[in-house]
Amino acid sequence: MHTVDSKILASDNFYKDDLNVKNKIFKVRLNNSQPLRDTIYKYSNEIVGMTYKLNVHIDNDIHICDVEKTVLDIPFNEIKFIQFGILRLLGSVSSVPTNMYYLLIYIETKESIKLGMVDNSLQHYFDYVKLLKDHDFPLEDPFKIAEMNLTDRTQIYNYLQKNYDKLAVTAGHHSNKSHLN
């Protein structure tokens, strides 16, 4: 099992629309084909200073795209490994601060390019695995996401609230300090 580079998970390491996602963490939307909604989302988030999501398309390679352009293509034969994890971010529900849990897709290439893709739904784990499983690189799941009941959001939230710190250390995400809290 590989470890995730803690520098990737630093709170000041989010992609900022400079077309450079290498060694960054960024929010993604898997195979989204709604460019009008993406454009509205992008500009409305820019107004309030938030990062916006990039689209990820997986076919014969991994394509990371902005609304208007491809930001990075990653050929499957260049991937060293992909590790799935869970990232804890501080968010809010009805203006009450709370922990939010997101799917982390950490990719490291053979040329040591590192990417941290954050998907807002843990349930998308199975979609990513389905698209990536038949290739010649390891898919690692140290959080054992495949064993979780992802359909019951309350149960998964309570489980992660109790166990996240231990899971993060076991997964090689170093300590809780390396995560975006």
Side-chain angles (χ1 to χ4, degrees), residues 37-52:
R37 188 179 78 182
D38 291 346
T39 301
I40 292 168
Y41 184 86
K42 173 185 174 179
Y43 292 115
S44 63
N45 278 348
E46 283 180 358
I47 290 169
V48 296
M50 294 174 59
T51 58
Y52 58 90

Side-chain angles (χ1 to χ4, degrees), residues 115-172:
L115 307 167
M117 300 190 307
V118 179
D119 191 304
N120 68 343
S121 176
L122 292 174
Q123 292 177 338
H124 293 159
Y125 166 80
F126 296 105
D127 298 328
Y128 285 100
V129 169
K130 182 178 178 182
L131 293 166
L132 296 168
K133 70 178 180 172
D134 295 328
H135 302 283
D136 224 7
F137 48 81
L139 294 178
E140 300 175 355
D141 181 14
F143 278 83
K144 300 186 184 328
I145 300 168
E147 298 172 14
M148 295 179 185
N149 178 7
L150 299 178
T151 59
D152 187 338
R153 291 182 183 192
T154 302
Q155 180 184 10
I156 197 70
Y157 179 83
N158 291 336
Y159 173 76
L160 290 171
Q161 281 291 94
K162 290 179 186 173
N163 299 299
Y164 182 79
D165 291 331
K166 183 178 111 181
L167 290 167
V169 170
T170 302

Side-chain angles (χ1 to χ4, degrees), residues 3 7 9 35 79 92 107 110 135 178:
T3 57
K7 294 175 191 169
L9 300 180
I79 295 174
S92 66
I107 299 173
K110 294 174 183 173
H135 302 283
S178 67

Side-chain angles (χ1 to χ4, degrees), residues 99-117:
N99 291 324
M100 307 293 278
Y101 297 97
Y102 298 90
L103 180 63
L104 172 67
I105 305 100
Y106 178 81
I107 299 173
E108 192 165 318
T109 69
K110 294 174 183 173
E111 294 183 9
S112 297
I113 295 171
K114 300 165 187 168
L115 307 167
M117 300 190 307

